[in-house]
Amino acid sequence: MIEKVINRVKEYDKSENDINLIFKAYDYALKAHEGQYRNSGEPYIVHPVEVAMILTNLELDVSTIASGLLHDVIEDTSITYDDIKNEFGQEIADLVDGVTKLGMIEYKSKVEQQAENMRKMLIAMAKDIRVIMIKLADRLHNMRTLKYLSEEKQKEKAQETLEIYAPIAHRLGMSMIKWELEDLSLRYLHPDDYYSLVEKVAKKRKEREESIKELIDKLKEKLNEIGIKAEVDGRPKHFYSIYKKMKQQNKTFEQIYDLMAVRVIVNTVKDCYGTLGAVHTLWKPMPGRFKDYIAMPKPNMYQSLHTTVIGPKGEPFEIQIRTWDMHRTAEYGIAAHWKYKEGKSYEDEFDAKLSWLRQLLEWQRELKDAKEFMETLKIDLFTDEVYVFTPKGDVISLPAGSTPIDFAYSIHTEIGHRLNGAKVNGKIVPIDYELKNGDIVEILTTTNSDRGPSRDWLQIVKSSQAKNKIRQWFKKEKREENIERGEEIFYRELKRHGIQQSQLKGDIMESVLRKLNMHSEEDLFAAIGFGGLALNQIIPRIKEELKQIESEDKKQNTPIAEIKKKPKIGGMGVIVKGEDNVMVRFSKCCSPVPGDEIVGYVTKGRGVSIHRKDCPNIKDYVYDKNRIVEVEWDQGKNIAYQADIQIMANDRYGLLTDVTSILADIKISVRAVNARTTKDNVAIINLTLEITSRDQLEKIMNKLKALDGVTDVYRISA
C-alpha cells in the first residue's frame, strides 16, 4: 500500500524532495499503531495509509503526506508532540497536532457545540490550511468504512459530515472530496432514497449514454473543423445533487432531465469562448441558463463556462467548458494552489485566495450568539452567489437574494451607513430589491453623517458582512440608547415570565453575566438593545439560577436571618476585615481554598462572596469594584473545602480504579465523580474533592499526573 503512495507522489512531484520522509513516517506510524485494529478488523495502519493516498490524489507536498501517515499517533498512542517534533521537525509536528486537536472536538446536536466545532475549524484553517486537508481526507476514509459502525453512529457521523465537512470542502473548492462526502452521507442518512436513486439512474443510464454519445461526437467533429483541441466527455450527476434538486424543487425523478453533463476541457481561455460559440451554433441555448464563471469566478475559485442547450432529442443538456488549469482547481480547489505558497512570487496570490477566511475569523470573534454564528457561516460557506456590477464595471459577488444594502456595505462601510436609495440598471428601486445576475447597481447616499442605518435593515440584508457592520454601528454609536432600550425590553420580558425585579439579587445576575461573557449589566442591556443578544438566551439561565437558589434555601436547616447574625468568621474559615456579623459563602466560579489569595465581594442580600484574586470575574470587574472588601484565611481553622479538578487521559482499562485508589490511599473524600470517554478514546474525569489547603490539592494533582496514560490534571471552575 505504501508503495502505491510513493509511486503516486513520484508521478506529480518531480522535485528533489525527500521521498524517504514518507517511508520514515510510515515505519514510525506502523510501530506506534502496532496491535491496534479498526472496527473492520483490519490493522489500524491501513487507515493512515488510505488517508495519505487521498492526499496524493490532491497532489500535496511530501510534508503533508507524512503528516497524513502520522495524523493519529498523538491521539491514539503514547507518542507526544515533542516526540514528533524531535523526529520529524516542527512543521510536521504542528500539522499532526492541529489535526489531533480537531479530532478531540466532540460533535453534538446542540447549536453551541456545533458552533464551537466550526470556530476551531476556522482557526486551524487560518493557521495552516493543510490541517483541514488532512482532516477532510481522514473524514473521507472514515465515511468509506462507515458500514462497520452501529446504525446510530452511522447517522451521527453522516449528519456531521453533511453539516460541517462537506460545506468546508465546498468552500475550499475541493469538489472531488465534497461530492463523495455528500453521496456517502446520503447513503446512511436516507438509505431508501439513496438506493432508489441508484436503481433509477442505472435504468436510465443506457438511454442517456446514447444521447450523450451522439452529442459528444457531433461536438468533437465541430471542434476539429475549427481547430480547437479538446477533451470531451460525459459526466453523471452525483446522487446527492439529484436528491437535493428533487427536494428543493419538489420534483419526481422522472421530472429531472439533466442527469448527465458534458464537460469540455481545452488549452486556453480563448478556446473556451470559441467552444461556447460552436456549442451555440449546433444547439439552441436555453434562455437564462448561461453562466460565465471565468469572468466572474466563484468565491471558492471555481472557473468554467456553463450553458444548457436543447439536445438532439429535445432534452436539455448542461455543457461545462474550462481549461486544464481551471479543471484542476475545480477538482482540488485550494489544494491545487498550495504548491504556490512555497514560491514568494505566488505567496500574495495564495493568501488572497484565503482572504474570505481571515474576514470570517474577524467576524466570528464578535459573534457571541452561537445561533447567529451558525447562520453567518451558512451564508458565507453554503449559499449560491449573485454577480452584479458597479457603474465602473467592477464585478461584485454577493450571496443570492442580496439587496442594494448588501451591495453598499460590500463597497465601503460608510457608503452602507449613508445609503439613501439605489438605482439598478438606471432606475430607482426599493432598498429591499433582490439583485439579479448582471445588474448594474448605483448607490445614492445622504450628506447627513448622523443618520446611520435603520434597524429594519437587519431583516432585509442577506450578507453576513452587512449584518455585522450594521450591528457594530448600533453597538458603538447608540450605546446609551441601546442600554435604555435593552433594559426596558429585559424587565418587560421578566414580568411576562412572572419574575420580579427584586428577585435578581446576589449572585444571580453575577452568574448570568459570567455565563454570557458580559462584564456588567449595562453591557447586557446594550447587547439586548442593539439586537446582539436574544432574550431566549437569558431568561432560561435566570430561571435556572432562581430554581437552584430556591433549592439551596430549602436545604438550609438554619433560617437566613439567623445566619446573618453569625460571628465574623461564620464557621467558614475566612475573616472579613472590619465586619463582625456577616454571612460568608464561597463563589462557585473559582472555588477558592486555603493558600489561594482571596478577596470578598458584598452581594445584595446574600452576605460576602469569596473569590480568588485571579478570578476572571474580579480581574475584569464583572462585579462592581466598590463592593470588594478585604478578607483573609483564618489560620486557626482546619476546615474542609471543596475543589473541582479535571483529569485528561488516554482511555484504558482500570484507569478510574487507579484514580480512586490513589485518593483512598491518601484519605481524600470524594464528593462527586463524573467520568466519560470521547469518540476519540480520550478519558475525561471530573472530581469534586474535600481538601484543607492548596498545598494538599497540588500534591494530589501531582500524584494523579504520574498515573499511566494521564496527559493533564488541572483545577476547573464553574
Side-chain angles (χ1 to χ4, degrees), residues 166-359:
I168 286 180
H170 168 69
R171 194 59 181 81
L172 294 175
M174 300 165 74
S175 63
M176 185 177 76
I177 286 181
K178 175 212 172 195
W179 288 121
E180 190 174 353
L181 287 176
E182 287 181 337
D183 282 356
L184 288 167
S185 297
L186 178 64
R187 177 181 170 184
Y188 291 102
L189 285 173
H190 305 286
D192 292 342
D193 291 336
Y194 175 80
Y195 288 111
S196 173
L197 262 182
V198 171
E199 185 182 349
K200 288 174 180 176
V201 168
K203 282 181 180 177
K204 266 202 163 188
R205 179 170 290 145
K206 189 175 180 182
E207 174 193 337
R208 298 293 294 172
E209 283 178 348
E210 287 175 5
S211 297
I212 284 276
K213 186 177 184 305
E214 186 181 336
L215 188 144
I216 288 174
D217 289 344
K218 198 169 183 180
L219 180 55
K220 280 182 176 178
E221 187 182 330
K222 182 68 174 177
L223 292 177
N224 282 332
E225 278 180 28
I226 58 177
I228 294 179
K229 290 183 180 180
E231 182 175 298
V232 188
D233 60 19
R235 179 184 62 83
K237 287 285 182 77
H238 295 272
F239 296 119
Y240 183 74
S241 73
I242 299 170
Y243 172 81
K244 194 165 72 168
K245 193 168 187 177
M246 287 167 61
K247 293 294 179 185
Q248 287 178 346
Q249 299 180 12
N250 196 25
K251 289 183 175 181
T252 64
F253 177 79
E254 288 68 30
Q255 293 174 302
I256 304 293
Y257 293 105
D258 53 343
L259 297 176
M260 294 187 78
V262 174
R263 180 183 290 153
V264 185
I265 306 176
V266 296
N267 293 325
T268 66
V269 172
K270 181 183 176 183
D271 286 347
C272 288
Y273 290 99
T275 301
L276 178 69
V279 168
H280 285 175
T281 58
L282 290 171
W283 302 285
K284 188 176 181 180
M286 287 183 69
R289 296 292 297 271
F290 167 66
K291 292 175 183 175
D292 187 345
Y293 293 120
I294 294 178
M296 296 178 285
K298 290 187 177 184
N300 65 0
M301 299 171 294
Y302 178 86
Q303 285 185 289
S304 200
L305 297 176
H306 287 199
T307 186
T308 302
V309 299
I310 304 299
K313 296 180 180 178
E315 291 183 354
F317 282 94
E318 184 182 64
I319 298 178
Q320 300 170 359
I321 308 163
R322 63 183 70 147
T323 66
W324 286 102
D325 282 343
M326 291 173 194
H327 179 62
R328 178 179 160 79
T329 298
E331 294 291 298
Y332 308 143
I334 197 71
H337 297 263
W338 169 253
K339 64 180 182 180
Y340 298 141
K341 182 74 170 162
E342 297 168 4
K344 288 183 181 177
S345 60
Y346 290 99
E347 193 165 341
D348 290 342
E349 181 187 333
F350 182 84
D351 287 341
K353 293 180 191 302
L354 287 178
S355 61
W356 62 271
L357 175 59
R358 315 269 187 263
Q359 192 175 48

Side-chain angles (χ1 to χ4, degrees), residues 576-588:
V576 181
K577 294 185 179 179
E579 296 290 338
D580 289 333
N581 295 300
V582 291
M583 177 174 69
V584 173
R585 57 195 300 276
F586 290 103
S587 170
K588 291 180 181 178

